[in-house]
Amino acid sequence: MPEDPAPRVPSGSGPSGSAGRGSDLAREALAAARASNAARRKAAGRTPRTGSGSAGNLRRRRWSGSGPDAARDPQPLGLTMRSWVKAAGTGADLTKATLFGRWEKIVGDEVAQRCSPTSLVDGELVVQAESTAWATQIRMLAPQLLVKINAELGPRTVIRIRAKGPAGPSWRFGERHVRGRGPRDTYG
């Protein structure tokens, strides 16, 4: 039940006999303000708040037990780093750097000497081969290479391998060029 908003001053308790001590006046003013605030909340249809030190408030609060319960508990460093990398958005760059750095170990010496990875975008790995024969060989070895790469880096890191052979010479020089089939009499 709310108290009346006017603070009560006990008579004869102060040095002059008419006012209370400063701390008593402050307590009474605070109680009056809380009571008027609770009355306004009740009139607006909101439930009044319980005090922060009340027993009801302590019963509602969930305290941590002996087992793992939330992100508040200490976490292993590896889990923390994985969540940080995921939140920072650098996971793709880290995966790409790991694949390119350990390419020879993952695919083997013979394949690594004949081709090298050039890009990894959205799960598609582009491999540049030294010859068209090795590009064809990489296309045939793609399922086995996918298994090796995903076993090393994590499932579904690489979804598809695209092998490219050596690029032919380009006859385009400069920024401007004319569309068409190009020169015909160059090779005889």
Side-chain angles (χ1 to χ4, degrees), residues 87-99:
T90 59
D93 294 336
L94 191 59
T95 302
K96 181 178 174 182
T98 303
L99 175 64

Side-chain angles (χ1 to χ4, degrees), residues 7-21 24-25 28:
R8 291 186 226 163
V9 179
S11 61
S13 61
S16 63
S18 64
R21 289 189 343 198
D24 292 334
L25 289 174
E28 289 179 10

Side-chain angles (χ1 to χ4, degrees), residues 46-79:
R46 292 181 274 170
T47 58
R49 277 194 255 167
T50 59
S52 62
S54 69
N57 194 23
L58 290 176
R59 269 187 262 125
R60 283 185 296 157
R61 191 164 190 175
R62 301 180 80 181
W63 297 97
S64 177
S66 61
D69 63 332
R72 297 180 309 152
D73 288 343
Q75 301 293 324
L77 183 61
L79 180 64

Side-chain angles (χ1 to χ4, degrees), residues 95-120 124-130 134 138-139 141-142 144-146 148-150 152-153 158 160-164:
T95 302
K96 181 178 174 182
T98 303
L99 175 64
F100 286 16
R102 296 174 27 192
W103 177 251
E104 188 174 342
K105 180 182 177 259
I106 294 171
V107 298
D109 292 335
E110 188 178 7
V111 174
Q113 289 174 359
R114 307 291 187 203
C115 63
S116 60
T118 56
S119 70
L120 177 62
E124 181 181 60
L125 175 66
V126 179
V127 177
Q128 180 72 43
E130 71 176 13
W134 267 100
I138 294 300
R139 288 184 196 106
L141 289 174
Q144 290 91 356
L145 292 177
L146 279 173
K148 286 181 180 180
I149 292 169
N150 288 329
E152 191 76 24
L153 299 177
V158 177
R160 180 175 173 228
I161 295 178
R162 188 167 45 116
K164 294 171 63 177

